[in-house]
Amino acid sequence: MNNKSGYGVLWQDIGLLVFLLSMFCGGIVIFTGGSGLLLENGIMLFLAAVAIVLVTFSKDTAAFVAVCSQLIGYTAYKLFNLYANGTVIMAASYSWLVLPLLAVGSMKLFCLGRYRLETENTILKKQVEELVMVDPLTGLYNLRSFYYDIGRQVSYAKRNKLPLTLMILQLRYGQELQRVLSKANYDMVKQRLVQIVSDAIRLEDRLYSIDKEGGLALVLTCDNEGAKLVRNRIRAMVGEKSAFDKITNTSIKVELQIAFLQYSEDMGNDMISYKKNVEKELQYDV
C-alpha cells in the first residue's frame, strides 16, 4: 500500500472512531439527563442524525446549515429558559454545543477517506484494464494485443518477403443470437467457435478476440489462396451438426461472415486501415 492509500485509510479510521465516540457521548448525555430532559436530548440527537445523513450524501452545505441552525436554536432556547423561567442549565446540556459539530465533522472525515480510497481503486481498475491484453472469456489475446503484434508481424513478413494475410470472422446473426440465447449460452457459443477455429489453423498462425460479440481476427502466414483453404475448412467445421451441440436443448445453427486480404507493401504501416479494409470485405460474404 502506498503512502496516499495509507493516509486515506488513516483518515477514514480516525473519522469513524471520532464519530462512534461522539455517538457514545450523546447516549451518555441522554442517559444522565433523566426523564426531564429526555425529549430535549432526543430532539437534539435526531437533528444531529439528520445533519449526519446529509453529509453522508455529500450535501455538505445543507449539513452545515442544519448544524448551525441546531446550535443557534438550542442556545437561544436554553438562554430564554434561563432568563425567563430561571431554569438552570445542566452541565450535560453544554455537550450539545460540541457533539453535533463533532459527529458531522467526523462523518465528513470518514466520507473523505472512503471517497479517496474509491477514487484510487477506480484509477487502479482503469490502469489494469488498459494493461490487460487477454480476453478473459476465450483466453485469446484481445484487440489491443492484435494491434501490438500485427505491426511486428508485417515488418517481419516484409523483411523476409513472406506472405501474410489478415482474416476477420464475425457471427452472421450475432445480435439475434444474443437476444435468443442467455448470456451464459452465448458465451459458450463464442468459446466453442474459438475452439473450432483454433483447430482449423496452423500453429504459426495467430488468433485474436477483437470484440465482445465474438468477432475474431486471424493473422495467417499464407497468401490469398491459402486463406481460401482456411476459410473453407472453418466453414466445414462450423457446419457440422455436432459443432455447437449440448449448449441448449435445441440445436443451434451458427453461420459466419469471413473476409480476408493479403498484405501488400502499398498498404503501408497503417494497421487500423488494413483491418478496416478487411472488415469492408465482410459485406460481400453473403
Side-chain angles (χ1 to χ4, degrees):
M1 181 181 294
N2 55 36
N3 290 336
K4 292 183 178 180
S5 298
Y7 284 129
V9 173
L10 178 62
W11 287 120
Q12 187 178 10
D13 291 344
I14 292 175
L16 181 60
L17 181 62
V18 175
F19 173 75
L20 294 176
L21 181 62
S22 62
M23 290 294 98
F24 177 74
C25 293
I28 293 178
V29 170
I30 293 177
F31 180 76
T32 57
S35 58
L37 296 176
L38 182 60
L39 178 61
E40 176 184 311
N41 290 334
I43 293 174
M44 292 299 293
L45 184 61
F46 172 76
L47 294 176
V50 171
I52 291 169
V53 171
L54 290 174
V55 80
T56 302
F57 287 96
S58 300
K59 306 295 183 181
D60 298 344
T61 303
F64 177 76
V65 171
V67 170
C68 291
S69 300
Q70 178 184 1
L71 296 182
I72 293 173
Y74 184 69
T75 301
Y77 168 74
K78 299 301 286 187
L79 290 177
F80 175 80
N81 281 339
L82 174 64
Y83 292 108
N85 302 321
T87 304
V88 178
I89 300 176
M90 303 292 294
S93 298
Y94 289 102
S95 62
W96 289 117
L97 300 178
V98 178
L99 288 179
L101 286 173
L102 192 62
V104 172
S106 60
M107 178 53 68
K108 180 60 181 178
L109 189 63
F110 173 79
C111 292
L112 286 175
R114 184 185 64 183
Y115 173 76
R116 187 169 186 173
L117 289 176
E118 290 177 349
T119 302
E120 291 175 358
N121 290 335
T122 301
I123 294 173
L124 287 174
K125 183 179 179 181
K126 290 182 179 179
Q127 291 175 343
V128 169
E129 289 176 350
E130 291 176 356
L131 293 175
V132 169
M133 303 184 74
V134 176
D135 176 52
L137 177 65
T138 61
L140 297 177
Y141 287 110
N142 58 19
L143 184 62
R144 184 178 293 107
S145 179
F146 165 77
Y147 282 122
Y148 178 78
D149 289 342
I150 193 171
R152 297 187 303 169
Q153 291 171 328
V154 166
S155 298
Y156 178 83
K158 287 195 296 185
R159 287 196 307 269
N160 296 277
K161 300 188 182 302
L162 298 173
L164 185 141
T165 301
L166 174 61
M167 178 180 288
I168 301 293
L169 291 81
Q170 289 184 351
L171 293 170
R172 187 180 298 276
Y173 306 111
Q175 293 182 350
E176 285 76 5
L177 284 174
Q178 281 183 301
R179 287 194 288 265
V180 172
L181 300 175
S182 66
K183 184 180 183 303
N185 288 338
Y186 188 73
D187 288 344
M188 290 178 65
V189 170
K190 293 192 291 183
Q191 291 172 328
R192 191 74 60 85
L193 177 62
V194 168
Q195 182 180 353
I196 292 172
V197 175
S198 299
D199 293 339
I201 61 177
R202 298 175 298 178
L203 184 63
E204 58 267 28
D205 298 328
R206 300 291 184 89
L207 179 61
Y208 302 88
S209 175
I210 57 174
D211 59 45
K212 296 181 179 180
E213 285 70 39
L216 301 175
L218 290 83
V219 181
L220 306 173
T221 54
C222 61
D223 55 13
N224 280 329
E225 293 302 319
K228 290 180 182 179
L229 296 176
V230 175
R231 178 193 61 188
N232 295 337
R233 187 160 58 244
I234 292 173
R235 286 197 189 279
M237 296 174 68
V238 169
E240 294 179 0
K241 292 183 178 180
S242 60
F244 295 92
D245 61 350
K246 298 182 180 180
I247 293 179
T248 63
N249 295 329
T250 58
S251 60
I252 299 174
K253 183 179 180 181
V254 175
E255 295 184 9
L256 299 177
Q257 286 182 295
I258 303 177
F260 55 86
L261 186 64
Q262 183 176 346
Y263 176 81
S264 59
E265 292 191 5
D266 59 346
M267 295 179 181
N269 296 320
D270 189 352
M271 296 300 104
I272 295 179
S273 295
Y274 183 26
K275 175 177 174 291
K276 293 295 183 182
N277 290 334
V278 179
E279 290 175 335
K280 290 178 182 178
E281 297 295 322
L282 289 170
Q283 63 183 316
Y284 303 112
D285 183 24
V286 295

